[in-house]
Amino acid sequence: MQNRPSRALVAATLSALALGMTACSSGGSSTSSSGNDLGLISDGTLTVCSDVPYPPFEDFDKSSDTGFKGFDVDVVNSIAAKLDVKVEIKDSSFDALKSGLAINSNQCDLVASAMTITPEREQAMGFSDGYYDSEQSLLVGADSGIASISDLSGVKVGVQKGTTGEAYANDHASGADIVVFPSDGEMYAALKAGQVDALLQDLPVNIDHQNDPSQSGAFKVVETYDTGEKYGFAMKKTNTGLIDAVDKALGDMKSDGSYQKIYDSYFATAK
């Protein structure tokens, strides 16, 4: 996932600020309405790290209460409401999120960033139950003549560093010239500029580009790949109170229909 040209400097600054804030915090915790000790870094607030933008899962939105929007944001807001805590979202680099650095240095309580649960990541972090079944996909120019992953020999294919899309491309796009970007924002800009010929990444994000009204008909998803991936919310492994509370909230959302309502608002007509 993401890292714009100035992103490294921004992320480093944010990390330094976050660490400074952590050092000054009291390490206070909160108890949910159901009695769970949530072990929050800021009393009464669920501090969430997310790599933004990555629509439709997370994006900036100055008009919203948190300053962010997207599927992950809506699900997290609903979970927080059930835990009776506020939400603060921080834009972070995906490298810091997938490695567990952000969680384990107390920059945030929870990572919500369209993050696939993998055995490697589970070594560094605890995860909620899977909340979204993801697929990989190939986005190409509509008139490119590329019809499948078998047509990528010698073709420049954009992937995001450290993602399961990058791993899938390395394993399956034989002969492709794989170009690694720090963020989807830079990948998509490169595709529009003709610097790469295809993007291999999560299906909903490629569909969002396919449906970009400013590029009507320019790009299309030509293949999808069922990789069995599930997104999870990452938390500190030792914070079992928060993990249990998030899982209970997710279960309640699925039982009362609120999860499906959010899901349908983003994906019911996505394919």
Side-chain angles (χ1 to χ4, degrees), residues 214-237:
S214 72
Q215 302 289 324
S216 181
F219 306 111
K220 62 179 179 181
V221 174
V222 292
E223 269 191 333
T224 62
Y225 314 107
D226 184 1
T227 53
E229 296 177 46
K230 291 183 179 295
Y231 292 169
F233 297 119
M235 290 157 276
K236 188 176 287 188
K237 293 182 75 168

Side-chain angles (χ1 to χ4, degrees), residues 1-12 52-53 181-187 189-190 195:
M1 299 177 78
Q2 304 70 329
N3 228 345
R4 291 168 285 276
S6 60
R7 186 61 166 275
L9 177 60
V10 174
V52 187
F181 293 88
S183 76
D184 169 69
E186 289 164 325
M187 286 167 57
Q195 296 168 350

Side-chain angles (χ1 to χ4, degrees), residues 70-111:
F71 176 74
D72 285 354
V73 175
D74 287 357
V75 173
V76 162
N77 283 336
S78 184
I79 289 172
K82 291 184 178 298
L83 301 184
D84 195 24
V85 295
K86 299 177 182 178
V87 173
E88 178 185 351
I89 298 177
K90 297 178 177 179
D91 183 19
S92 308
S93 77
F94 194 64
D95 275 348
L97 304 185
K98 74 179 183 65
S99 68
L101 174 63
I103 282 293
N104 292 317
S105 62
N106 290 331
Q107 294 177 37
C108 45
D109 302 300
L110 179 147
V111 170

Side-chain angles (χ1 to χ4, degrees), residues 155-195:
V155 172
K156 290 186 177 180
V157 181
V159 299
Q160 186 171 352
K161 182 181 179 181
T163 64
T164 48
E166 180 187 14
Y168 193 87
N170 286 330
D171 290 343
H172 298 280
S174 178
D177 180 5
I178 297 174
V179 183
V180 180
F181 293 88
S183 76
D184 169 69
E186 289 164 325
M187 286 167 57
Y188 187 42
L191 181 67
K192 290 189 289 185
Q195 296 168 350

Side-chain angles (χ1 to χ4, degrees), residues 1-188:
M1 299 177 78
Q2 304 70 329
N3 228 345
R4 291 168 285 276
S6 60
R7 186 61 166 275
L9 177 60
V10 174
T13 303
L14 288 173
S15 296
L17 288 172
L19 286 169
M21 291 172 65
T22 300
C24 295
S25 78
S26 61
S29 62
S30 292
T31 301
S32 72
S33 55
S34 60
N36 292 72
D37 180 358
L38 304 178
L40 303 179
I41 60 176
S42 180
D43 192 30
T45 298
L46 182 67
T47 305
V48 177
C49 286
S50 186
D51 184 16
V52 187
Y54 199 66
F57 294 97
E58 33 266 331
D59 206 347
F60 300 104
D61 182 6
K62 293 181 179 178
S63 66
S64 74
D65 291 339
T66 62
F68 299 89
K69 65 180 180 181
F71 176 74
D72 285 354
V73 175
D74 287 357
V75 173
V76 162
N77 283 336
S78 184
I79 289 172
K82 291 184 178 298
L83 301 184
D84 195 24
V85 295
K86 299 177 182 178
V87 173
E88 178 185 351
I89 298 177
K90 297 178 177 179
D91 183 19
S92 308
S93 77
F94 194 64
D95 275 348
L97 304 185
K98 74 179 183 65
S99 68
L101 174 63
I103 282 293
N104 292 317
S105 62
N106 290 331
Q107 294 177 37
C108 45
D109 302 300
L110 179 147
V111 170
S113 198
M115 181 183 288
T116 300
I117 303 170
T118 68
E120 180 183 13
R121 293 169 183 169
E122 285 182 307
Q123 294 296 313
M125 296 172 284
F127 279 91
S128 70
D129 293 334
Y131 68 90
Y132 180 85
D133 295 332
S134 180
E135 293 178 275
Q136 295 297 316
S137 62
L138 183 66
L139 180 76
V140 302
D143 58 356
S144 67
I146 300 170
S148 75
I149 200 168
S150 62
D151 297 331
L152 298 182
S153 181
V155 172
K156 290 186 177 180
V157 181
V159 299
Q160 186 171 352
K161 182 181 179 181
T163 64
T164 48
E166 180 187 14
Y168 193 87
N170 286 330
D171 290 343
H172 298 280
S174 178
D177 180 5
I178 297 174
V179 183
V180 180
F181 293 88
S183 76
D184 169 69
E186 289 164 325
M187 286 167 57
Y188 187 42

